[in-house]
Structures are given as structure tokens and as C-alpha cells.
Amino acid sequence: MLEQWRARLTRLHLAPFRPYVINSLRAYDRARFIKDLSAGATVGIVALPLAMAFGIASGAKPEQGIFTAIIAGFLISALGGSRVQIGGPAGAFVVIIYGIIAKYGFANLLISTMCAGVLLFAMGLTRLGLLVRFIPVSIVIGFTNGIAVLIILSQLKDFLGLSIDHMPADFFQQAQLIGSSLGTINPYAVAIAAVSLALMLLWPRVSLTRASPRGQRFVRHVPGTIVALLLATTAVAVFELPVETIGSKFGGIPQELPTLALPAFSWELVKQLVAPTLTIALLGAVESLLCARIADKLIDDRHDPNQELMAQGIANFVTPLFGGIPATGTIARTVTNVKSGAVSPIAGIVHALTLLAIVLIAAPLAANIPLAVLAAILMLVAWNMGEWHEFVRLKNLPVTYCTILLATFFLTVVFDVTVAVEVGLVLASLFFIYRISQITRIEPIALTTIDAKAGIEAYRLFGSLFFGAVSKLEAVTDPARYAGVDAPRAIVFDLTLLISLDTTGVEALDSLRRQLARHGGALILAGPHEQPFSMLKRSGFIARIGPDNVVADMSAALSRANFLVASHCDGIA
């Protein structure tokens, strides 16, 4: 039965469902398990503050971020197509989720995420994982930097301890509200956030150069985010500092597993959620495959993009059933996983189980975590996710690249990622069409030294004859040229340097053929390559022009032209 299904999938050209973990377990042994266990535990500890911070920054509760990291992290590692990728809530989603909750509500976010999960799985199943790679890097950098700016702006409230009940989703409204609330700055929150940020930046540098070998090993395994989180939480609990904490705002984190709950679902509701669904699916696909490519470079491996998308789809369909938010591949945690020595997806599964153990054992301790330290952590994450050096390099890069990157960046900040990516793709497509059309040329071939009769013209086509370049034929196809007695009786096109042809190009050639035929002339094509020839044949053009007028080379084309011109002259005589 299984072989029959595989045969059907092969005939449909669908991607097989084969998680990477299956291949990893073939040669799995105790030594590899110890490496994965150590790496997974390390990543689990690193993921704890990030999951809470992403949950809060997204407009959800901290436990919803943690549950997402547990459930989605487990499924993405167990079913994914990468050896070391870690999945969970991501910084790139923070602004998107916040905007969706503000506009549609949290319940509709869950439905959008589930629909996006179905879409992601379908993209992987139909082998669209490779197409995501065609998104230009300028668009990826543009919206990544834009999201980073929005995250930093959204965290100023908790970083400064401002008295703001609810942050709007709009960039200008956020900036205006923060500016008008600067009089409510909490110095204790600022101190906690600033010290935490400085500690996270200086922790590895200072300790690695001055600590003992044992201290250096400790630093490598305990990241600065955890140290800052522990110290800030201890300071708030011991000195009873007047700052907002997870306990004061959310009532703490429940010490239990999430319960399964089906959200209200209807097709009418789904139709209204098309835009957020597409946004989550597109961003999830881009982020996960981008993260997997970075991981490939670190471990000299190659992931399966289609399997990865299917795993992302399953994770994003299942996680909302437990109240979770959208998930994707996470670069920071994946890099940590690699540097900690992970060798298989088992490390990602251990990371999820580590988070689960922390929730079941130490959830009450999270009540004293100040929101200021989580804001500092998110600001550092946002700064690290942005590729700010690209702005410096813009002066040395082409205008088209700069235009796409800056347009995507500003549209992400001012509007949203969906609009930014759509406009970026349109701009990239237009610039690409323009560049390709510039490559296309049509040049006359001198026939003075060739045995050609009067009334024969020959041209050589270069590049691609498509809808963006057919204007290059205007001089040849001008109807005024064929009305007089000096009109050409045969036109030869040398296609040996034409690499591609589309239906618009075929229509332009057919228009020229009809003009020549009305005045007793003929069009002859020489040496078309496989793609142009296939297009000419499938469109019926060869049948209309006559198979004898499509020849192998210029010599045969000129012989055919001489024959037709001579026959025409004899007919007139």
C-alpha cells in the first residue's frame, strides 16, 4: 500500500514526506545522543526568555510564546527537512502578529495561523519550496531591517517603563504615543533594561578573555540572556523594585500543559482572513528556508526545502489548537544549536522537552521577571537580526538594488510586510524585465558579399524575444515599409543567438509574416534553438509559415529566400 502511494505521488510530481530525522537515526549512537542532549538543553534555556519576550511583544501572553516554542519546536525538529534547525516563535513575526491581533483579534489569529499551516504544507507538497529562494535578497534584507526597527520601537515602552496601557500597531501612532509619554519614564525600569543590555553585550567578551578554563566553559554554555534574566529577576524580588513584571501584568505563567481547544471556524470567516493568512504563510516560508540555508553553511549540509515547509505547515496547524502563535525557523536559536554541538534533529526535540520541563517545574518563579529585561533581550535580538551594514553599502550598489531594498524597508515600517513584499516583488520584476529587454538586440546582416537577390533582407536576433522586448522589432514590422515597390520580398531572421521566445514574441513574428504574405513576400527563420523552436511549433506558427521556411542555418535560409524571390519574379513576368 505504501509503495502504491509513493508511485502516485511520483506521477503527480508531489514531494515525498520524509523527515530528516529518519536518516539521522540510521547511524545514531550514544556519543551523538550526548551531543544532542547537551545542545538541546542549552538551546532550551536560551529559548525560554526569547519565547516569553516574543509572546508578550506580539500582544499575546508569555505562556503562549512558551507553548509555541514547545509544540512547534518539537514538530519542526521531528518532521522537518533540516538537521539542526530550531523552530518556534520568531522576531520577524512579532510586528505581524501584533497587527493581526489589533485588527482581527486573537481568536482570528489562531484561525489565520491554521490556514497558513495548510498553505505551507501544500507549498511543500507541491515542491514550491525552491521557488521561495527566488525572492531577491534585497527584499529579504529590506523587510528584515524594517521589522527590526518596528520591534525596537515597540519595546521602548517596557524598556523605559512608560505608563502606556496599549500600544497601537501603526508606526506613526506608536512614535507619537511614546513621545507624548516620555514624562512617565520609570528610572528603575531603565536601569534594569540598560544594565541587562550591557551585560548581554559584554558577557562573552569580558569573561572569555579573563576567566579560567572552567569559567570559559561556563560562559560558552550559559548565554548572557539567561544571566541578565536571572540577575534582573533576583533584583526585583529581593529589593521589591517598582517595575512591571510578568506576575503584575499577566498573573504569572501556569504550571501546566496547554489544553486542546478548537477555535470557531467558518468559510465566511476564512474569506475575511485571506490577507493575514498569506502574510503568515509567506513570512513563515521565507524565514524558515532562509534560516535553513544559514544552517547549511554552518554544518556543510543541504536541507530539503519541501520537507521543511511541510513540517512548518503541520506545526502552524497544530500549535494554534493549544493557543499558540505562528512559528518558523529561528536563526539565533539554530546558530546556538550548531555551536553547542548538535548533530541531528534530536537536539531540537530535546530543546522542546527542556522548555516543557522548565514550565512544569519552575513556572512560578517567572512571576518576578521584569518586562524591562525582556524588552532589552528583544532589542538585542532585533539589532542582531538587522543587516545594517547593507545601508552603508548602498552607495556602491546598483540603483535598482537600492530602490528595491529601501522601498521594501520603508513600506514595512510604514505599512506592513505584505504590502512591502508585494511592492518589492513588482519592482524587482519590472527591473528584471527592463534588464533583459536591454540585452535583446536586432542587427541587420549585410548581404553585399553574399549571393542574395534584390528584395532580400536579413537580421540577427540576440537575447530573448518576449513581451518586454518586442518593441525592438518595430522598425522591421512597420507597415509603411511594405506598401511601396521597394518593399522586401523575403526577410530572414537568424535565431542562432536567440535564447528564448514567448507568446508575445511569436505574435510579433506572426504579424510580420502576415504583412509579408499580403504583398507576396515570405518570412524565413534560421537555426532556432530548442526553446524557441518548441514555442513556434506549439503555437502553430511553423504550420502557418510553412515547415520549409524554418531551416537549420543562414546558408539554407538565403537559398530558400533566393528561391522564393525568383519564383515571385517569374510569377510576375
Side-chain angles (χ1 to χ4, degrees), residues 21-61:
V21 70
I22 296 176
N23 296 331
S24 300
L25 292 177
R26 288 179 176 175
Y28 206 67
D29 53 23
R30 182 173 178 272
R32 293 191 174 193
F33 176 71
I34 292 175
K35 290 182 179 180
D36 284 336
L37 185 65
S38 175
T42 301
V43 178
I45 295 172
V46 172
L48 178 64
L50 294 176
M52 288 189 292
F54 290 146
I56 295 171
S58 300
K61 296 179 180 179

Side-chain angles (χ1 to χ4, degrees), residues 18 29 42 55 65 70 76 94 116 118-119 122 175 213 234 282 285 297 323 412 425 482 509 546:
R18 186 174 181 82
D29 53 23
T42 301
I70 294 172
I76 290 172
V94 166
V118 174
L119 188 57
T234 302
L282 176 62
K297 294 179 182 178
T412 299
L425 286 173
Y482 303 93
L509 293 176

Side-chain angles (χ1 to χ4, degrees), residues 481-489:
R481 299 185 68 244
Y482 303 93
V485 293
D486 296 330
R489 298 303 174 189

Side-chain angles (χ1 to χ4, degrees), residues 460-461 493-499 526-529 552-554:
R460 182 173 289 113
L461 291 177
F493 277 157
D494 181 2
L495 304 185
T496 54
L497 297 179
L498 187 71
I499 58 176
H529 288 293
D553 52 40
M554 280 297 292

Side-chain angles (χ1 to χ4, degrees), residues 269-304:
L269 186 59
V270 170
K271 293 177 184 177
Q272 300 173 17
L273 300 175
V274 171
T277 296
L278 292 177
T279 301
I280 294 171
L282 176 62
L283 188 57
V286 172
E287 282 292 310
S288 64
L289 297 184
L290 177 65
C291 177
R293 290 177 65 183
I294 292 174
D296 288 348
K297 294 179 182 178
L298 294 174
I299 62 175
D300 194 21
D301 195 13
R302 178 175 295 178
H303 72 284
D304 182 347

Side-chain angles (χ1 to χ4, degrees), residues 167-473:
M167 285 285 287
D170 181 73
F171 169 78
F172 295 108
Q173 292 179 359
Q174 283 187 3
Q176 183 180 9
L177 184 58
I178 290 172
S180 63
S181 304
L182 289 178
T184 64
I185 288 178
N186 185 334
Y188 294 98
V190 175
I192 290 174
V195 171
S196 299
L197 187 58
L199 180 61
M200 288 184 289
L201 290 171
L202 299 176
W203 172 258
R205 301 177 185 178
V206 174
S207 299
L208 285 177
T209 56
R210 300 181 182 178
S212 63
R214 180 177 296 179
Q216 293 178 7
R217 289 194 296 271
F218 175 77
V219 169
R220 282 197 295 269
H221 286 85
V222 180
T225 53
I226 295 298
V227 176
L229 187 73
L230 292 176
L231 292 179
T233 304
T234 302
V236 169
V238 173
F239 299 105
E240 298 182 352
L241 300 179
V243 295
E244 199 169 30
T245 64
I246 287 180
S248 65
K249 185 167 184 177
F250 301 101
I253 295 176
Q255 193 175 7
E256 60 185 4
L257 294 173
T259 56
L260 176 65
L262 296 176
F265 180 88
S266 69
W267 284 113
E268 291 300 321
L269 186 59
V270 170
K271 293 177 184 177
Q272 300 173 17
L273 300 175
V274 171
T277 296
L278 292 177
T279 301
I280 294 171
L282 176 62
L283 188 57
V286 172
E287 282 292 310
S288 64
L289 297 184
L290 177 65
C291 177
R293 290 177 65 183
I294 292 174
D296 288 348
K297 294 179 182 178
L298 294 174
I299 62 175
D300 194 21
D301 195 13
R302 178 175 295 178
H303 72 284
D304 182 347
N306 298 312
Q307 181 63 43
E308 188 61 34
L309 286 184
M310 286 190 279
Q312 298 286 340
I314 294 173
N316 280 285
F317 182 83
V318 174
T319 303
L321 297 175
F322 298 91
I325 58 179
T328 185
T330 56
I331 295 176
R333 276 159 279 175
T334 298
V335 172
T336 302
N337 192 38
V338 173
K339 291 184 177 179
S340 299
V343 295
S344 81
I346 299 298
I349 295 174
V350 172
H351 132 269
L353 297 177
T354 300
L355 281 171
L356 178 61
I358 293 174
V359 169
L360 296 179
I361 297 171
L365 300 178
N368 289 321
I369 295 177
L371 298 185
V373 69
L374 295 180
I377 292 172
L378 269 183
M379 281 190 167
L380 182 60
V381 169
W383 179 260
N384 289 334
M385 72 182 284
E387 298 189 45
W388 313 109
H389 62 278
E390 287 295 321
F391 289 137
V392 179
R393 295 179 58 234
L394 288 181
K395 61 180 182 294
N396 300 321
L397 296 173
V399 174
T400 54
Y401 179 93
C402 300
T403 302
I404 295 170
L405 191 153
L406 292 176
T408 307
F409 171 76
F410 285 114
L411 288 172
T412 299
V413 173
V414 176
F415 293 100
D416 59 55
V417 172
T418 306
V419 174
V421 172
E422 288 174 351
V423 173
L425 286 173
V426 170
L427 288 175
S429 300
L430 291 176
F431 288 141
F432 176 77
I433 291 170
Y434 176 76
R435 286 197 300 270
I436 296 299
S437 67
Q438 294 302 105
I439 296 174
T440 303
R441 304 196 313 274
I442 177 171
E443 296 180 354
I445 300 175
L447 300 179
T448 55
T449 59
I450 303 176
D451 184 17
K453 295 183 179 295
I456 297 177
E457 294 181 359
Y459 300 89
R460 182 173 289 113
L461 291 177
F462 298 83
S464 176
L465 187 59
F466 70 114
F467 65 90
V470 291
S471 59
K472 301 294 180 72
L473 293 179

